[in-house]
Amino acid sequence: MCSILSCSFLQAKDYLINTPHTSLLISATPGEKARFQYYGSRISESEISGVYDSGLTFNAESYPVFGLNSPGEKAMAVTHADGNMSLDLMVKEVKQYESVDGNVTEVWMQDKVYPFELKQVFKAYKGTDIISTWVEVSNQAKKPITLYRFASAFIPIQRGDNWMTHFHGAWAAEHTMDEEKLTNGQKVISNKDGLVNTETDNPSFMVTLDGKPQEEAGHVLGGTLAWSGTYLIKMDVRNTQFNISAGMNEENSYYTLEPEETFITPEFAMTYSTSGKGGVSRAFHRWARQYKLHGGNEPHDILLNSWEGVYFKVNQEKMDQMMEDFAALGGELFVMDDGWFGNKYPRNNGSSSLGDWEVCKEKLPGGIEGLIASAKEHRIKFGIWIEPEMSNTKSELYEKHPDWVLQVEGRPLSTGRGGTQIVLDLTNPEVQDFVFGVVDKLMTRYPDIAYMKWDDNCALLDYGSTYLPKDKQSHLYIDYQKGLIKTLKRIRAKYPKLVMQACAGGGGRVNYGLLPYFNEFWTSDDTDALQRVYMQWGVSSFYPAVAMGSHVSADKNHQTGRRLPLKFRFDVAMSGRLGMEMQPKDMTETDKEFAKRAISAYKGIRPVVQFGDLYRLVSPYDNKGVASLMYVTPEKDEAVFYAYKMSHFMNMIISVVRMNGLDADKMYRLTDLTPEEEGKPCKFHGKVISGRILMEEGLSLKDVLKKEYSSVALRIEEVK
Ligand code: DGJ
């Protein structure tokens, strides 16, 4: 018998892994194959026989390997030193124990013939509905072995009317939600960039068991691969069978494992919801805040980022001015973006200076210390932008260390942004020291820096390392990420309080591989509030609002050219981690007044938005002309509701919007958070309505969302 922590009544072979609302059942008997039996709603030990009896068990190998009886997808393929390409893994033993953050089940497997050991791990994170899984392979032979396929997870799914939701994108259009019915064949989401892995698809998906995806109904499995490098997620649908495999993308990455060496795949984290996609998202958000985001339970400041305000034209006067203006609006943190560094080659555009992380004396004669003094004077915090994994061919760093750059011997360098951007070789420990040093030197010299935006505007271009041995060049995609993580761990060990944002040309690194070292991410370089409603909807499927950088930008928008009311722009940005990304001095007095009121209102609702449970109410993807969402505290005593008019026609039907997550028996007072004019709130302001009416019948917004791009943001508080 073995449940996760007690061991008394079950048959010897069943291992039940429980979270508060889900269960995973693995059967494992020494000398036999480990089998994946069930993943679904929580069952008790006494119900195990019930899942067998009801035909719900898969009896599928929990980690199928290549070589014997081989048709079909496999999770792992290797070549042993003698050329044999087969594995035959049998259970050796199963260990279960409690770790600081979860209840762990380890299924140890051993090849029948070769000294090859594999440990398949399942971790149920305490207090969440997330179970993660990965494998650890160790080579106990005397010679190296080569790994050709090494998935983190292999999950069988009940075949039915299965639909998949995933988040596709491109630069400035990240996390666009796509939903499709899965038919026979393979549907693959993958990345081959190596560095920016969420600008194409995000390594996250949801799969339904019973029809079209719905927000608050239906049985859904949600999964994400916690990895920032190339990845491969395959939906393998074959008539009556359906398996999902997820892991690093092995293409061009076969991995040689030396004797005694261990290879650990990234975590694949999953949840199972019987309350639709909303249930999946809320489970991931809680897990992210509790375990996966650095400082995930700490509130985030309202910031102004200098990028769209001045781009590369950073100077002392402009920075001082921006800080003064933002402080007057009630802002809390100023972030100086790109353009502040380089002396031999001052950074005036994207074509030079990365790597020369010295303040440009000409632009900023008072130095960073001057800027920090100015921030202090205005009682706000100061932050700075870096892109430490990169260089340009026009830089002092490259002149000094041409061998530190990824390159293919005997071939010219490929270059990225500005025609000169190149990537440092993070497999090299010297380069890791340098990258650590970028942060360390800044923090040592200027300990008052409160925030760093860590950018990456380049893909892994040239597949070659002067550091990796010739026969291990194929390790580059993987070892780059390992080098990056090692460096970030060092930074975090020394600077745990520093707030860091993960950015990659916008939302290119929104993944749980890197987020454990960052507090938040930049969602997209597209700050157009209308398009952001779609993108943030997609992001919110797996990533919580506290981490989602969401900035109010100029009218007209620099990416799409769209003009939107300031209220709409604020109402959208206030549904994430609010910030601004514009030149405040160009705002009219009326706009400044509005911004001041909105910022002050956000301070009041910050804990609800940043730590509340998300309910997505009306999807922008349903083309109903309206999009709506809300956050609710776990105690259900407070909520924030948003609705946006997405299109505008005469005699347009605006359906009633029904809220969710409140307590039907409580009475709630509604407050307009962002009236367009002071003292002229919308008609719901001050009304007291029961949770039952708000949820069962809803709010009729037809008089409120009247104009093009109108919007509403309401605070909802329990009246005791
Ligand atoms: C790309 C980022 O996404 C922008 O916000 C900005 O930081 C630029 N890089 C700076 O080069």
Side-chain angles (χ1 to χ4, degrees):
M1 122 76 217
C2 274
S3 82
I4 188 109
L5 289 171
S6 61
C7 282
S8 53
F9 335 92
L10 300 181
Q11 295 171 7
K13 61 172 193 159
D14 283 321
Y15 295 87
L16 189 59
I17 300 164
N18 280 336
T19 71
H21 303 98
T22 73
S23 290
L24 178 81
L25 182 66
I26 296 289
S27 61
T29 307
E32 292 179 17
K33 298 272 179 206
R35 299 200 176 268
F36 190 113
Q37 300 293 6
Y38 168 84
Y39 182 44
S41 304
R42 186 183 162 115
I43 53 167
S44 62
E45 289 168 1
S46 61
E47 286 172 301
I48 290 180
S49 56
V51 287
Y52 280 105
D53 292 346
S54 54
L56 289 173
T57 45
F58 291 101
N59 209 29
E61 284 180 40
S62 71
Y63 198 75
V65 289
F66 181 76
L68 297 178
N69 192 8
S70 281
E73 280 294 325
K74 303 291 171 195
M76 175 155 286
V78 309
T79 301
H80 301 282
D82 61 2
N84 186 315
M85 289 179 67
S86 68
L87 282 173
D88 194 10
L89 300 182
M90 299 298 161
V91 174
K92 205 167 92 182
E93 59 174 329
V94 177
K95 293 183 188 164
Q96 294 194 299
Y97 56 90
E98 192 175 328
S99 71
V100 219
D101 51 359
N103 296 321
V104 181
T105 302
E106 294 178 353
V107 184
W108 291 69
M109 304 176 205
Q110 172 76 55
D111 188 88
K112 265 185 161 173
V113 178
Y114 284 84
F116 178 98
E117 198 168 72
L118 183 138
K119 179 166 81 176
Q120 186 174 27
V121 188
F122 297 92
K123 185 198 256 188
Y125 280 87
K126 285 181 195 165
T128 76
D129 278 316
I130 303 291
I131 295 177
S132 80
T133 179
W134 69 92
V135 299
E136 301 182 11
V137 177
S138 58
N139 179 12
Q140 288 155 356
K142 296 213 162 48
K143 290 190 176 158
I145 54 170
T146 310
L147 310 178
Y148 288 98
R149 171 115 179 95
F150 31 86
S152 294
F154 198 90
I155 314 287
I157 303 281
Q158 294 293 350
R159 187 75 175 101
D161 186 9
N162 306 111
W163 287 63
M164 174 189 186
T165 306
H166 65 113
F167 309 92
H168 189 72
W171 175 78
E174 297 90 338
H175 325 288
T176 308
M177 189 173 85
D178 267 325
E179 302 200 304
E180 61 209 87
K181 186 176 166 73
L182 290 169
T183 53
N184 282 321
Q186 291 195 335
K187 171 81 191 178
V188 167
I189 54 173
S190 69
N191 176 270
K192 295 187 178 183
D193 179 308
L195 292 193
V196 177
N197 86 341
T198 65
E199 210 168 62
T200 47
D201 260 285
N202 196 282
S204 314
F205 63 86
M206 297 190 202
V207 161
T208 68
L209 303 188
D210 46 11
K212 251 186 143 171
Q214 300 171 67
E215 265 308 320
E216 295 297 335
H219 295 59
V220 189
L221 182 141
T224 189
L225 185 75
W227 183 241
S228 200
T230 64
Y231 69 85
L232 179 68
I233 297 175
K234 265 190 210 169
M235 308 282 143
D236 181 39
V237 183
R238 282 176 288 140
N239 293 317
T240 55
Q241 286 184 17
F242 179 7
N243 295 302
I244 301 174
S245 65
M248 294 188 271
N249 194 337
E250 298 91 353
E251 204 173 320
N252 302 314
S253 285
Y254 62 89
Y255 210 92
T256 313
L257 206 58
E258 298 294 337
E260 306 292 314
E261 210 185 335
T262 301
F263 183 89
I264 306 176
T265 69
E267 256 185 307
F268 173 77
M270 59 191 173
T271 193
Y272 178 82
S273 154
T274 50
S275 51
K277 295 185 286 181
V280 169
S281 301
R282 290 186 288 277
F284 272 101
H285 294 173
R286 280 187 215 120
W287 172 74
R289 290 192 300 258
Q290 208 173 330
Y291 298 109
K292 288 289 151 173
L293 281 171
H294 187 85
N297 289 317
E298 282 150 36
H300 287 206
D301 290 325
I302 303 165
L303 66 84
L304 171 67
N305 182 286
S306 68
W307 182 240
E308 287 194 26
V310 299
Y311 292 103
F312 292 102
K313 295 201 173 90
V314 165
N315 66 31
Q316 190 85 43
E317 197 194 325
K318 285 182 183 148
M319 298 298 97
D320 286 345
Q321 172 82 58
M322 283 179 118
M323 286 193 262
E324 185 179 339
D325 291 346
F326 189 51
L329 298 180
E332 298 165 330
L333 161 70
F334 173 72
V335 182
M336 175 170 68
D337 207 284
D338 201 349
W340 61 268
F341 52 95
N343 283 301
K344 179 170 176 191
Y345 305 111
R347 173 84 164 169
N348 294 323
N349 52 50
S351 71
S352 72
S353 328
L354 294 173
D356 304 345
W357 301 107
E358 292 292 331
V359 68
C360 175
K361 294 196 182 91
E362 205 183 312
K363 294 183 187 180
L364 297 164
I368 308 260
E369 44 281 63
L371 297 169
I372 290 175
S374 179
K376 279 191 179 157
E377 193 188 318
H378 300 301
R379 297 206 167 82
I380 58 174
K381 296 178 199 164
F382 180 79
I384 199 164
W385 176 97
I386 51 171
E387 193 177 356
E389 299 155 73
M390 300 289 154
S391 190
N392 293 99
T393 48
K394 196 170 158 192
S395 71
E396 291 187 75
L397 179 72
Y398 181 60
E399 285 167 358
K400 230 160 100 195
H401 296 290
D403 55 317
W404 278 11
V405 163
L406 290 178
Q407 54 197 276
V408 179
E409 208 184 321
R411 297 188 189 277
L413 278 180
S414 305
T415 50
R417 190 185 194 191
T420 59
Q421 185 156 338
I422 43 186
V423 183
L424 296 180
D425 181 358
L426 265 165
T427 66
N428 182 343
E430 268 189 281
V431 176
Q432 294 168 12
D433 287 346
F434 169 80
V435 173
F436 170 77
V438 174
V439 175
D440 193 39
K441 278 184 192 149
L442 281 167
M443 291 307 293
T444 309
R445 275 188 223 158
Y446 319 110
D448 287 328
I449 290 179
Y451 180 103
M452 272 190 204
K453 173 174 176 179
W454 179 305
D455 205 346
D456 159 17
N457 292 291
C458 201
L460 197 160
L461 300 173
D462 287 339
Y463 201 68
S465 158
T466 55
Y467 176 76
L468 290 174
K470 291 231 174 335
D471 60 348
K472 290 196 176 154
Q473 292 288 310
S474 63
H475 291 197
L476 181 51
Y477 282 138
I478 295 171
D479 285 359
Y480 184 99
Q481 289 299 324
K482 286 189 183 165
L484 175 59
I485 288 171
K486 203 168 149 199
T487 311
L488 286 164
K489 278 188 175 156
R490 256 174 97 186
I491 292 171
R492 275 319 188 185
K494 190 154 178 196
Y495 301 106
K497 291 265 176 268
L498 176 67
V499 176
M500 297 210 321
Q501 183 189 65
C503 172
R509 279 183 165 174
V510 183
N511 61 62
Y512 286 113
L514 285 192
L515 283 176
Y517 314 102
F518 291 89
N519 303 67
E520 61 171 40
F521 53 84
W522 182 220
T523 310
S524 174
D525 271 353
D526 184 353
T527 55
D528 172 9
L530 190 80
Q531 199 170 343
R532 273 298 186 104
V533 174
Y534 293 87
M535 287 193 276
Q536 295 182 179
W537 194 271
V539 165
S540 77
S541 297
F542 282 84
Y543 305 92
V546 67
M548 183 175 71
S550 183
H551 296 179
V552 175
S553 62
D555 176 30
K556 78 199 211 201
N557 180 265
H558 291 190
Q559 293 80 39
T560 60
R562 201 188 319 273
R563 312 202 74 131
L564 292 165
L566 186 61
K567 173 173 163 55
F568 189 97
R569 286 177 275 148
F570 260 101
D571 285 350
V572 172
M574 284 168 70
S575 70
R577 194 277 288 130
L578 173 66
M580 291 179 78
E581 179 103 12
M582 62 196 292
Q583 178 49 283
K585 87 170 161 48
D586 296 341
M587 295 169 82
T588 63
E589 281 313 309
T590 320
D591 281 358
K592 281 186 184 162
E593 264 319 301
F594 178 86
K596 222 171 161 173
R597 283 189 279 116
I599 286 174
S600 149
Y602 185 80
K603 289 177 184 166
I605 55 161
R606 173 167 24 205
V608 186
V609 176
Q610 297 189 357
F611 307 115
D613 285 328
L614 170 69
Y615 290 86
R616 288 178 297 251
L617 306 173
V618 185
S619 170
Y621 291 92
D622 287 347
N623 296 321
K624 291 189 172 154
V626 171
S628 179
L629 61 134
M630 68 191 288
Y631 296 97
V632 186
T633 59
E635 299 76 28
K636 300 182 185 297
D637 57 348
E638 217 183 316
V640 184
F641 169 88
Y642 304 90
Y644 312 109
K645 182 100 182 280
M646 305 295 287
S647 56
H648 183 66
F649 302 100
M650 286 307 293
N651 283 317
M652 189 174 162
I653 300 162
I654 306 277
S655 309
V656 156
V657 176
R658 293 190 187 95
M659 297 194 186
N660 210 330
L662 300 171
D663 183 335
D665 297 330
K666 285 183 174 163
M667 296 301 291
Y668 294 95
R669 175 171 290 108
L670 276 47
T671 308
D672 188 347
L673 283 164
T674 51
E676 208 152 358
E677 278 180 55
E678 192 161 17
K680 290 194 181 163
C682 75
K683 68 177 211 180
F684 300 121
H685 186 79
K687 299 286 185 293
V688 175
I689 307 175
S690 69
R692 193 184 60 75
I693 291 180
L694 292 172
M695 291 195 292
E696 286 177 19
E697 300 306 325
L699 277 189
S700 169
L701 298 169
K702 61 180 188 297
D703 300 333
V704 174
L705 299 186
K706 253 186 169 161
K707 291 186 290 179
E708 184 172 37
Y709 302 133
S710 43
S711 57
V712 64
L714 300 171
R715 183 177 193 160
I716 297 167
E717 290 164 289
E718 182 188 353
V719 181
K720 295 210 171 130

